Amino acid sequence: MEEPHDPQFRELIDFLARVPSVQVRDRPKRGIGSALEPSGWWVKFSLDICHPLAWNAVQELGHVLNYLSLDKPLPTVFKPVSPPPYLNGGPSQFLSWVIECPNEMSPSKVAEWLEGRLPKPVDDLSQWAE
């Protein structure tokens, strides 16, 4: 049986699950991967790329996590990841997105930064620019 996420990820995964186009499944991990490693942590998820706000979500997450400040950027990286397309299939099934961060910032602190800067409330589709 699938074990739930480490409790340190609760706030971040709960927040990401509310972002338009993030794919959530009815399982303990909700279809979202996570890991704590000696050098840092990561969270991996998929987006429904056919959702009308999918690229808005990518843009918003990319802005906050990669480019919020030129002088003092967050220690986070948001990027796409994929197995070889020629062995698997296209982006609707095999493209994932990962947030990586060294241990200098906790997953809950990243959730706090996202919640403070993404549309509010994040799950209200009318708050997202189209």
Side-chain angles (χ1 to χ4, degrees), residues 3-45:
E3 294 294 320
H5 294 279
D6 183 290
Q8 294 180 57
F9 290 102
R10 185 179 57 80
E11 291 93 354
L12 180 56
I13 290 172
D14 286 350
F15 182 79
L16 289 172
R18 295 174 45 223
V19 172
S21 77
V22 170
Q23 294 182 321
V24 180
R25 293 180 178 73
D26 188 23
R27 291 188 249 164
K29 289 197 174 194
R30 302 166 87 178
I32 299 173
S34 66
L36 293 169
E37 298 175 350
S39 62
W41 57 266
W42 56 264
V43 171
K44 185 170 84 168
F45 54 94

Side-chain angles (χ1 to χ4, degrees), residues 63-126:
H63 166 68
V64 174
L65 297 169
N66 295 342
Y67 210 64
L68 186 60
S69 168
L70 293 176
D71 297 331
K72 192 164 178 38
L74 295 180
T76 51
V77 173
F78 174 65
K79 64 184 179 183
V81 293
S82 177
Y86 56 86
L87 292 176
N88 295 287
S92 63
Q93 289 183 295
F94 292 98
L95 182 64
S96 296
W97 298 86
V98 67
I99 300 169
E100 297 174 332
C101 188
N103 288 324
E104 63 190 81
M105 183 177 259
S106 69
S108 60
K109 183 55 89 174
V110 171
E112 196 176 297
W113 276 85
L114 289 171
E115 191 158 13
R117 287 152 185 85
L118 265 63
K120 290 180 183 100
V122 75
D123 50 359
D124 180 352
L125 302 183
S126 70

